[in-house]
Structures are given as C-alpha cells and as structure tokens.
Amino acid sequence: MSATYAVIYSYIDDDELREKTRPAHREYLQGLAEEGALLVAGAWAPSEPAGGLLIFRAPDKQTVEGYVDRDPYKTEGVLATCEIREWAPPLGPVAPALNGE
C-alpha cells in the first residue's frame, strides 16, 4: 500500500548553480512522474523564498528519501534543506486519490 508524501525543498543562494542544474533536475523528476511516483512538483512563486514542493506516492518514507538522494538538486548541492512528511489530506476533490481511495 502506498502513502502520499510532501517534500519541501529550500535552495541555497547560488542561482547560477540552480539554473545550471535545473534541466537535469527536471528530467529526473519527469522520469519519476512517468513512473507514477511523482504526482506534482514545482518551485514556489518568485515572491517566496527559493524552494519548491514535490508530492509523491510511495510505499514508505525510505523510498522517497531515495528519490531525493538521487535528485540532481541534491547530488549537485542545490538543496539547503529538505523536509519529507507523510501527508493524508482529509478534504478536497483530490483527497481520496491522495489517500489511496
């Protein structure tokens, strides 16, 4: 059985490194999306601190940690912090799908 995980990234202040790494990061995430593991991902709006949100479906937190560990943003040092939290939203039109119903 899979669960839903929210992954919250914050980036270092090196815009040049982030821009250089972005194509590999997006290609990697696209592969996870095609596999069905990544449901949605994106950067915060420009008015927010640099970072992003990724939503995964995975059998356990360790699987998500593995996805993050292989993300070019992690391997190339773009991430300042990363939080992984299991998420079980009770309300809204997509809540049942996110909860495996």
Side-chain angles (χ1 to χ4, degrees):
M1 179 156 171
S2 291
T4 301
Y5 294 88
V7 177
I8 303 164
Y9 281 175
S10 66
Y11 306 144
I12 63 170
D13 289 333
D14 187 338
D15 293 339
E16 185 177 322
L17 177 61
R18 188 169 66 245
E19 290 297 321
K20 176 182 157 192
T21 310
R22 182 175 284 143
H25 163 72
R26 286 190 174 172
E27 182 178 340
Y28 173 71
L29 293 182
Q30 182 62 40
L32 293 175
E34 289 169 2
E35 292 173 13
L38 178 65
L39 302 180
V40 66
W44 301 123
S47 61
E48 297 293 331
L53 174 68
L54 303 89
I55 305 295
F56 288 95
R57 283 292 286 169
D60 52 52
K61 191 173 191 175
Q62 291 76 22
T63 300
V64 178
E65 288 169 348
Y67 295 148
V68 169
D69 287 344
R70 292 183 296 276
D71 185 339
Y73 270 9
K74 170 91 183 241
T75 62
E76 298 302 315
V78 174
L79 297 184
T81 65
C82 173
E83 261 186 84
I84 301 172
R85 296 189 181 196
E86 187 172 350
W87 188 41
L91 301 172
V94 298
L98 292 174
N99 290 312
E101 298 172 15

